[in-house]
């Protein structure tokens, strides 16, 4: 998983927000954005700061979500165009029609269901705590109370941390939170389990606590009321679950 870190470092250093187009054969001028006019294209909003789900490898966005949506696109005969943006811009992009769907290791929550619809879930996971091993102040979630907790802005980790402390440090990227923790600037990071492992792995003094937290499920977000697209996506999701494609994609990125 070291390669995740390298690509994140490269990303942080260069600090670009690139528009990445995945797939080929797109000879047309449909970078005009989402949907509507061109039904052969699905525009996907994501935040490619989230290994192993979506992250940069060089100039390219890769990860579980990318492979999975491309497999879905293949089933539907649609080209997937990826737009990278801040995590908290994804739902507004779907609402405004700038993107057709959002996929970003995104947890289904009550709050989000007020603003977007979700497909069937495709990953079951939890939030995890990353600690700095130079200190043993935090051994379980109970020790988080009142501590300074780093999170990625607008995520479920952000919400969770806010429940246990007033001192939440919000970063645009999970990687920045992990670096602050490694440098002793904050006491812990709360972030999705596989991501926590990927972030901690490349850094000597970071470790992920075993204790699992809030159970969560990821799904694809779709504009409210677009039941036709939800149905289409669900059909493909279920087929790819049943034929083992989803599991093989997960296994490709997460070695247990
Ligand atoms: N699962 C969490 C949530 O939905 C975090 C997702 C962050 N994803 C990302 N690509 N940065 O809030």
């Amino acid at each position: 998983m070291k390669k995740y870190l390298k690509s994140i470092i490269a990303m942080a250093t260069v600090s670009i927000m690139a528009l990445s187009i995945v797939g080929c054969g797109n000879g047309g001028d449909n970078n005009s954005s989402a949907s509507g006019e061109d039904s052969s294209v699905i525009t996907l909003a994501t935040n490619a700061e989230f290994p192993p789900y979506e992250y940069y490898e060089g100039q390219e966005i890769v990860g579980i979500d990318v492979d999975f949506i491309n497999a879905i696109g293949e089933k539907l005969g649609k080209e997937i165009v990826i737009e990278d943006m801040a995590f908290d811009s994804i739902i507004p992009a779907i609402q405004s029609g700038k993107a057709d769907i959002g996929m970003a290791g995104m947890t289904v929550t009550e709050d989000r269901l007020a603003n977007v619809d979700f497909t069937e879930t495709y990953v079951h996971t939890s939030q995890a705590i990353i600690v700095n091993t130079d200190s043993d102040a935090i051994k379980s979630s109970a020790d988080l109370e009142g501590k300074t907790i780093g999170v990625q802005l607008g995520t479920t980790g952000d919400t969770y941390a806010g429940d246990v402390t007033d001192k939440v440090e919000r970063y645009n990227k999970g990687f920045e939170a992990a670096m602050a923790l490694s440098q002793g600037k904050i006491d812990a990071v709360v972030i999705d389990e596989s991501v926590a492992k990927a972030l901690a792995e490349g850094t000597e003094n970071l470790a992920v606590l075993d204790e699992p937290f809030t159970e969560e499920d990821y799904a694809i977000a779709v504009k409210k009321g677009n039941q036709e697209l939800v149905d289409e996506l669900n059909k493909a999701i279920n087929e790819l679950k049943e034929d083992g494609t989803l599991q093989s994609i997960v296994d490709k990125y997460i070695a247990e």
Side-chain angles (χ1 to χ4, degrees):
M1 288 226 192
K2 291 233 168 80
K3 64 176 191 258
Y4 297 146
L5 213 65
K6 257 194 249 148
S7 59
I8 298 169
I9 292 168
M11 182 54 199
T13 316
V14 183
S15 185
I16 41 162
M17 284 289 269
L19 173 81
S20 174
I21 296 174
V22 167
C24 48
N26 174 20
D29 62 342
N30 48 24
N31 61 348
S32 59
S33 86
S35 59
E37 338 74 66
D38 189 350
S39 59
S40 68
V41 173
I42 293 179
T43 304
L44 166 74
T46 195
N47 169 249
E49 300 295 340
F50 208 60
Y53 291 94
E54 44 269 326
Y55 57 99
Y56 278 88
E57 221 168 64
Q59 302 279 70
E60 200 190 348
I61 299 174
V62 299
I64 293 169
D65 284 346
V66 178
D67 283 8
F68 192 42
I69 194 61
N70 280 324
I72 291 170
E74 226 164 86
K75 277 217 174 278
L76 301 179
K78 299 204 175 175
E79 187 194 347
I80 308 298
V81 174
I82 300 185
E83 280 208 47
D84 185 23
M85 59 187 69
F87 183 73
D88 63 349
S89 298
I90 296 173
I91 288 180
I94 297 164
Q95 290 178 302
S96 71
K98 188 170 179 279
D100 299 310
I101 61 174
M103 195 177 187
M106 189 183 280
T107 306
V108 179
T109 68
E110 285 302 316
D111 284 354
R112 290 174 185 159
L113 278 165
N115 297 311
V116 285
D117 289 340
F118 280 100
T119 61
E120 308 225 343
T121 60
Y122 64 93
V123 164
H124 181 73
T125 186
S126 60
Q127 294 289 308
I129 298 172
I130 315 178
V131 295
N132 185 320
T133 52
D134 301 338
S135 151
D136 61 1
I138 298 170
K139 293 186 217 63
S140 79
S141 57
D143 299 327
L144 284 179
E145 219 172 303
K147 295 288 193 317
T148 304
I149 305 177
V151 298
Q152 187 182 16
L153 175 72
T155 60
T156 46
D158 189 349
T159 311
Y160 174 80
D163 290 343
V164 296
T165 185
D166 292 335
K167 293 181 269 175
V168 180
E169 290 290 333
R170 299 181 173 85
Y171 299 86
N172 286 319
K173 305 171 186 184
F175 171 74
E176 292 167 352
M179 285 303 99
L181 177 61
S182 173
Q183 292 159 8
K185 292 179 182 157
I186 55 177
D187 300 315
V189 171
V190 173
I191 198 160
D192 304 46
E193 192 201 7
S194 309
V195 182
K197 288 182 179 158
L199 291 174
E201 191 156 291
T203 308
E204 208 137 279
N205 63 350
L206 297 184
V208 180
L209 297 187
D210 288 332
E211 183 190 4
F213 291 120
T214 51
E215 308 268 306
E216 306 191 336
D217 292 288
Y218 297 166
I220 303 174
V222 175
K223 192 173 193 170
K224 252 206 157 334
N226 192 349
Q227 191 58 39
E228 197 184 321
L229 184 53
V230 170
D231 290 344
E232 263 188 284
L233 292 168
N234 279 345
K235 185 161 177 286
I237 289 171
N238 284 322
E239 286 172 14
L240 292 165
K241 275 183 187 172
E242 271 158 32
D243 74 5
T245 304
L246 173 57
Q247 190 57 51
S248 70
I249 292 171
V250 170
D251 291 346
K252 175 177 156 195
Y253 289 94
I254 302 177
E256 285 301 333

